[in-house]
Amino acid sequence: MKKMKMILTIAMLFVYGTQMNAQLKGNFEAFNAEKDEMGITGQYFGKSDKKGYGYRFVKEADGKIVNELHYFEKKKSAEPQLKLSMKESYYSKNQVKLFYVWMTSSASGYVELIEVDPGVFAQITQTEYSSNGGPAPLEAKRKVTDVYIKDQAKFDAWDVETAQAKVDLIIASLNTEKIEKETAEWKKNEVFAKNVDKVVFAAQWYHLQKQGYPDKLAVSGADFKTELDMAGNMNFMAFFSVPPSVKYPGQQINIEYEMGGKKTNRETLRKKSAAWSNMVKILETKNFEYRQSPTRAIREYNQYQSQFVQDYAAIQVLYYNKDKLKVGQTYDFTVRVYVHRDGENGAVLAEGTVKLKYTEAAKKVFEGDPTKPEVKGVFAQFEEFLNE
Amino acid sequence: MKHLFSLILPILAFLGINAQENQNIELGKLSSGNFTVNKVLENNGNFKFEIASKQWPISFTKDGSNFSEVTVNRAGIIEEKYQADLPGFPAYYKSETSEIVITAIDKKIYYYSYSVKTGASIKYIFSESKVKNYADEKATLDNYRTSIKELQSTTRTQRIEENNALAAKQEEENTLKGKTIKSINVISVSKPSEVGLLSIIAIGVEFTLDNGKVLKTKNLGGFTPYTDFDVEVSGGDYAGGDFKVADDSRKIPGDKLELTVWSKYDAKKVKGKYSCPANYKTDVNYNFSGASGASGRGGTVGYTINGKNGTDGKSINISVTSMQLNGEVVNKIVITDANSGSVLVESKMSINNTLNINANGGSGGNGSVDFGNGGNGGDAGNGGNVTVSGSGAASLKISVTNNGGTGGVGGKAKNQSFTQGMNGRNGNKGIFSK
């Protein structure tokens, strides 16, 4: 395929843009006499170099079903230059003929052919995903680099852009089906089924999501909390029916906090000043690519940084309520996750309410410990930030 | 001063020429039809345009004086429709299912994705006129998006205010504040069949007002906030529409769940009640594993370069008593600390369900990399011993995992003059007896 790429590149430089004004003759005309159940086998011409290539669909080899596409570019060679495997389920369920081969295990070694019309194949590359034993995942950004056409009468109809549009359409259709299937699979898990479109809370981030499992549900939910002590960690996470990166591509995420009738959100505060913009980072849907959001915190102790980290928008809402807080009381604290674009919230993606308990220890954390006057409470530190 | 004015004048002239128009004006300069496609090619971070061999049909839909929609017929085979972001003063046309947006500037139609962090990423420019280099076209588009956003503020503020007014109206109509409540109905959203420890049951509330109107919580399809009412709970906790059953059967008096609801704003405290028997038909999971040791962190207060030791899994005794509850056989399970004898937790569970116990030893922390010898890995904790006894022991389905932890890995030395730290010892598996 390296040789083929080089030939194609050179050929593109010289031949691109020229019109077909005569019937092309290739070296693989004999292939046209062969028949196969897929209707693939035959001589194909490259759109970019107008050269002939042999395609042969091979169903069986050595007594086994193989479902391969053999690709020939040398006339005298009995062996194909490439053997591409078919993704069988795409054909059996969707009638999509997709063949692939990993020439190396890196992303750049991936070659894929998709039939975009009977007798028309798009040659595709991708640069994101390394070999995983099957074809590149449907999320991969596929780029059509050439088109191979059996019937020369179709040469004018199919250029690279047309093939790209058709490939995008085919992949989008497969992706929709995959996402629906995945969502149904996730809903078989009771923890997801009962918490989808909700925000859940815990006193440790790893009670919400197992480390290294952003795309799998690997916690039992036993440690999800309906009440949290404000003195400790206050973590949360959202469950989405569809990953926001898929359903709301190219948009932002905004998080709103509400307590005691007062509410604010990250985007409003981020636009208030440079200090707020530095403190509250932009969240984009492209980083919310699973059915579980990254775990977040109202406030938590970060072992690595050896200090507490907190969402200043959440702390702002606690600060609004600081004069009402009484030891021993609980307060409903609501978190809403929105999709956001150009300063406006869109759909609510998830919502949850937790009771925050203002304990004696929490009072010391937020208002300061009288026995340690040198250590400032959270509210005093926050006031310093507000006065910056 | 004359000198300064002569500098400003060309800038003002430039800004005047490049004043940003909204898309209703920009699209007005174009007619629907076939457009030449300038495709962006990228090679190792370098971008250039190449003209595709076929033109693509693009059409513009008008709604009164505004252009409401742009339709791009990609390669003549895929019809993509894009709607105005802000109908009265559009900056671009968007689709809910694609990251692609469309903007026309000076008769060039940009097909691109946009990030507030990195700006535009152009895929195609549809134009009869020649396109500039990629960097210039991106700068034109980024500049337009930034400037037009400022100009949109009046229209956008108006839309936000309209949406806020709608939200406020909905809030006013659905809050319990200032409403006279005639009765309250507390309902489970779906009939729970398995109610055991840590089960979650979605429970909604309907408030019937004195005027006959019924307000509902979100999980029943309404808009009354969960924070508008107070609750009294027995057998678990209630928040955000979910009743979460307790993790210990001692917290479930009478083996039933009860919830009483009243409005925060109702002086008369009209109440609604919900009650549901617990059948304990859920698996029960308890974790008595030891903690992992922290990794070594040279130069940090409270740490050394050596990993800390993991702690042992707790050794426990499980006493199981068989009993009848609502005609079903359940096991009452009491778990005590094998060393102190104190009761750690009590639970009840149907004999058809499984008690899962984790009592693994914690792993040792890894030693840190250091300029001298690497830090030693911490020793791992041993698995806890688990002993089951009592009249229900034979019928108890139990799964126990009580492996020893893994010793921490010794940290590497940064240069060859020193040696890697020692690995920590692995923990031993605990004993399970039934």
Side-chain angles (χ1 to χ4, degrees):
Chain A
M1 190 52 89
K2 263 185 183 173
K3 187 183 172 188
M4 186 181 83
K5 275 186 177 173
M6 190 176 71
I7 292 169
L8 293 184
T9 309
I10 295 165
M12 277 175 71
L13 288 171
F14 291 99
V15 181
Y16 190 81
T18 60
Q19 295 296 312
M20 285 270 305
N21 51 16
Q23 281 293 300
L24 295 169
K25 296 280 183 193
N27 292 325
F28 299 94
E29 277 182 61
F31 278 56
N32 289 335
E34 297 179 26
K35 300 287 175 212
D36 70 71
E37 66 181 72
M38 290 277 177
I40 291 173
T41 305
Q43 175 171 246
Y44 287 70
F45 293 95
K47 178 79 179 175
S48 60
D49 65 2
K50 310 290 187 292
K51 284 189 175 178
Y53 298 92
Y55 279 29
R56 177 179 287 136
F57 177 74
V58 178
K59 186 176 178 63
E60 282 185 64
D62 302 327
K64 286 196 324 187
I65 300 291
V66 291
N67 286 330
E68 290 176 341
L69 179 60
H70 290 188
Y71 164 88
F72 296 80
E73 59 184 23
K74 294 175 185 169
K75 184 185 178 186
K76 291 178 181 172
S77 173
E79 278 299 304
Q81 276 64 64
L82 281 180
K83 290 181 180 178
L84 297 98
S85 304
M86 184 167 84
K87 177 67 178 169
E88 293 179 345
S89 63
Y90 291 170
Y91 181 70
S92 60
K93 291 177 186 166
N94 309 87
Q95 284 70 56
V96 171
K97 296 174 194 169
L98 183 151
F99 297 89
Y100 66 94
V101 63
W102 293 90
M103 297 175 66
T104 66
S105 60
S106 66
S108 60
Y110 184 71
V111 178
E112 184 178 275
L113 291 168
I114 296 180
E115 192 182 58
V116 290
D117 200 48
V120 181
F121 275 90
Q123 184 188 332
I124 292 153
T125 60
Q126 59 87 29
T127 55
E128 293 170 278
Y129 295 90
S130 301
S131 173
N132 60 357
L138 294 170
E139 297 79 24
K141 284 188 177 149
R142 286 169 159 78
K143 186 178 171 190
V144 175
T145 54
D146 204 352
V147 186
Y148 294 89
I149 300 166
K150 193 195 273 187
D151 179 357
Q152 294 180 39
K154 291 186 176 180
F155 247 88
D156 285 342
W158 288 94
D159 62 358
V160 168
E161 285 316 303
T162 310
Q164 181 74 59
K166 191 66 190 284
V167 165
D168 290 350
L169 193 66
I170 290 167
I171 297 296
S173 162
L174 291 172
N175 226 346
T176 302
E177 189 175 305
K178 177 183 165 236
I179 285 162
E180 284 169 2
K181 194 174 152 191
E182 282 175 354
T183 301
E185 200 58 39
W186 273 73
K187 282 189 174 167
K188 286 180 189 168
N189 185 314
E190 197 185 9
V191 176
F192 180 75
K194 290 197 167 169
N195 291 298
V196 64
D197 305 327
K198 290 181 187 171
V199 172
V200 293
F201 300 86
Q204 300 291 349
W205 66 266
Y206 49 81
H207 290 160
L208 297 167
Q209 191 179 115
K210 188 173 174 183
Q211 186 165 26
Y213 286 74
D215 56 342
K216 286 197 183 84
L217 226 172
V219 297
S220 68
D223 292 313
F224 293 176
K225 300 290 183 193
T226 47
E227 184 176 302
L228 292 170
D229 183 341
M230 286 174 67
N233 292 344
M234 296 178 277
N235 298 90
F236 67 89
M237 184 186 83
F239 283 107
F240 307 117
S241 49
V242 177
S245 61
V246 174
K247 195 167 182 185
Y248 301 99
Q251 299 190 43
Q252 287 172 246
I253 293 286
N254 190 14
I255 303 177
E256 180 181 81
Y257 301 102
E258 180 175 1
M259 180 170 149
K262 302 278 186 188
K263 60 183 168 186
T264 191
N265 63 76
R266 290 173 60 86
E267 281 300 311
T268 299
L269 294 175
R270 208 174 60 74
K271 291 189 178 99
K272 274 180 84 169
S273 67
W276 273 107
S277 269
N278 285 334
M279 200 53 76
V280 180
K281 305 294 179 203
I282 295 171
L283 303 175
E284 294 186 280
T285 54
K286 70 179 179 186
N287 298 319
F288 286 68
E289 54 197 316
Y290 306 109
R291 285 172 177 76
Q292 307 173 112
S293 74
T295 59
R296 301 194 61 83
I298 298 166
R299 185 170 188 272
E300 72 169 335
Y301 185 74
N302 183 299
Q303 292 226 329
Y304 190 74
Q305 295 177 24
S306 299
Q307 61 180 0
F308 276 89
V309 293
Q310 46 209 11
D311 186 328
Y312 266 39
I315 299 298
Q316 174 72 80
V317 166
L318 297 180
Y319 184 78
Y320 285 147
N321 286 276
K322 71 182 171 64
D323 296 332
K324 297 180 196 163
L325 297 174
K326 291 197 176 86
V327 169
Q329 296 289 309
T330 58
Y331 302 89
D332 285 337
F333 187 90
T334 300
V335 178
R336 295 183 193 92
V337 181
Y338 288 91
V339 65
H340 184 89
R341 177 143 59 181
D342 296 330
E344 288 180 80
N345 284 338
V348 183
L349 302 181
E351 179 178 345
T353 299
V354 67
K355 289 184 185 302
L356 298 183
K357 186 157 194 177
Y358 201 60
T359 56
E360 203 58 73
K363 183 178 169 68
K364 285 179 184 169
V365 167
F366 280 85
E367 296 179 38
D369 183 349
T371 63
K372 294 178 187 168
E374 72 281 6
V375 181
K376 284 184 177 154
V378 172
F379 288 144
Q381 290 173 32
F382 188 70
E383 271 169 6
E384 280 182 4
F385 165 74
L386 293 178
N387 293 330
E388 263 180 26
Chain B
M1 185 61 87
K2 263 186 183 175
H3 180 64
L4 183 64
F5 184 73
S6 63
L7 278 173
I8 290 171
L9 194 60
I11 294 168
L12 290 173
F14 176 80
L15 288 174
I17 289 164
N18 290 282
Q20 310 296 5
E21 307 279 16
N22 75 55
Q23 291 298 294
N24 290 329
I25 294 167
E26 291 291 351
L27 292 186
K29 299 173 188 171
L30 294 161
S31 302
S32 298
N34 290 337
F35 284 78
T36 298
V37 177
N38 295 274
K39 173 191 172 188
V40 175
L41 296 178
E42 189 255 336
N43 187 12
N44 291 327
N46 296 315
F47 297 88
K48 66 172 185 176
F49 289 101
E50 179 186 274
I51 296 176
S53 58
K54 287 198 293 188
Q55 290 191 320
W56 292 1
I58 298 172
S59 59
F60 314 108
T61 306
K62 228 174 173 184
D63 180 10
S65 58
N66 295 337
F67 284 94
S68 57
E69 191 171 84
V70 173
T71 304
V72 177
N73 203 331
R74 275 182 71 192
I77 58 171
I78 301 179
E79 194 176 78
E80 297 177 343
K81 290 182 180 295
Y82 298 88
Q83 285 79 33
D85 67 316
L86 194 60
F89 203 99
Y92 57 88
Y93 291 79
K94 64 185 170 61
S95 153
E96 284 305 324
T97 55
S98 165
E99 64 177 347
I100 296 298
V101 291
I102 308 280
T103 293
I105 306 170
D106 293 335
K107 295 188 175 180
K108 287 179 186 167
I109 304 169
Y110 296 82
Y111 182 103
Y112 64 103
S113 59
Y114 189 79
S115 157
V116 286
K117 289 181 182 171
T118 55
S121 175
I122 304 169
K123 314 285 182 207
Y124 302 106
I125 297 177
F126 311 124
S127 170
E128 294 315 311
S129 58
K130 195 171 183 303
V131 297
K132 298 177 201 161
N133 66 58
Y134 183 87
D136 287 347
E137 294 290 2
K138 176 175 162 53
T140 300
L141 187 51
D142 286 344
N143 180 40
Y144 177 85
R145 283 292 300 260
T146 307
S147 326
I148 200 77
K149 198 172 168 187
E150 296 296 320
L151 300 173
Q152 285 184 308
S153 61
T154 306
T155 313
R156 190 177 299 286
T157 304
Q158 192 182 343
R159 181 163 78 176
I160 290 171
E161 283 171 359
E162 284 168 8
N163 287 339
N164 287 347
L166 283 174
K169 185 167 178 275
Q170 188 183 72
E171 200 175 309
E172 170 59 31
E173 285 171 357
N174 288 281
T175 182
L176 301 178
K177 199 173 184 177
K179 309 272 167 62
T180 305
I181 294 164
K182 194 172 153 191
S183 64
I184 298 175
N185 195 16
V186 189
I187 313 161
S188 63
V189 175
S190 57
K191 191 172 170 58
S193 56
E194 295 162 353
V195 182
L197 302 188
L198 294 172
S199 290
I200 295 172
I201 304 162
I203 295 179
V205 188
E206 286 180 348
F207 300 87
T208 304
L209 307 183
D210 59 346
N211 60 7
K213 191 174 177 184
V214 178
L215 303 181
K216 297 176 182 178
T217 50
K218 190 176 177 182
N219 56 4
L220 293 176
F223 298 96
T224 298
Y226 299 107
T227 49
D228 265 13
F229 53 89
D230 281 326
V231 294
E232 191 176 271
V233 189
S234 172
D237 295 308
Y238 180 81
D242 286 334
F243 191 116
K244 187 173 182 183
V245 182
D247 59 357
D248 189 314
S249 56
R250 289 173 293 181
K251 297 176 188 168
I252 311 175
D255 297 309
K256 60 183 176 186
L257 319 176
E258 291 185 317
L259 178 67
T260 305
V261 173
W262 64 95
S263 166
K264 275 182 181 171
Y265 310 104
D266 181 13
K268 290 183 184 168
K269 289 207 181 327
V270 174
K271 290 182 178 176
K273 294 188 183 220
Y274 174 84
S275 181
C276 171
N279 59 23
Y280 299 107
K281 287 184 178 176
T282 56
D283 292 346
V284 175
N285 309 291
Y286 288 119
N287 188 14
F288 300 107
S289 295
S292 295
S295 293
R297 291 172 67 183
T300 305
V301 177
Y303 293 84
T304 68
I305 60 170
N306 301 321
K308 293 188 178 175
N309 294 339
T311 59
D312 294 339
K314 198 179 281 292
S315 289
I316 54 171
N317 294 327
I318 303 175
S319 168
V320 189
T321 309
S322 195
M323 60 187 287
Q324 288 277 328
L325 187 68
N326 299 325
E328 305 252 10
V329 183
V330 299
N331 281 323
K332 181 181 175 187
I333 297 159
V334 180
I335 301 178
T336 52
D337 185 319
N339 295 321
S340 68
S342 62
V343 176
L344 300 170
V345 68
E346 280 189 23
S347 64
K348 287 176 184 164
M349 188 182 75
S350 163
I351 57 166
N352 297 318
N353 290 96
T354 303
L355 173 65
N356 298 298
I357 300 287
N358 282 332
N360 297 313
S363 297
N366 295 333
S368 71
V369 177
D370 202 67
F371 287 103
N373 294 335
N376 296 327
D379 291 338
N382 299 317
N385 298 326
V386 178
T387 306
V388 181
S389 63
S391 63
S395 65
L396 179 71
K397 289 184 182 174
I398 183 168
S399 167
V400 174
T401 309
N402 55 348
N403 299 316
T406 307
V409 178
K412 288 182 179 165
K414 280 196 174 170
N415 67 61
Q416 292 178 341
S417 308
F418 296 95
T419 56
Q420 178 167 344
M422 301 279 284
N423 290 342
R425 180 188 63 82
N426 290 337
N428 296 319
K429 185 176 172 64
I431 298 163
F432 171 51
S433 52
K434 184 180 173 185

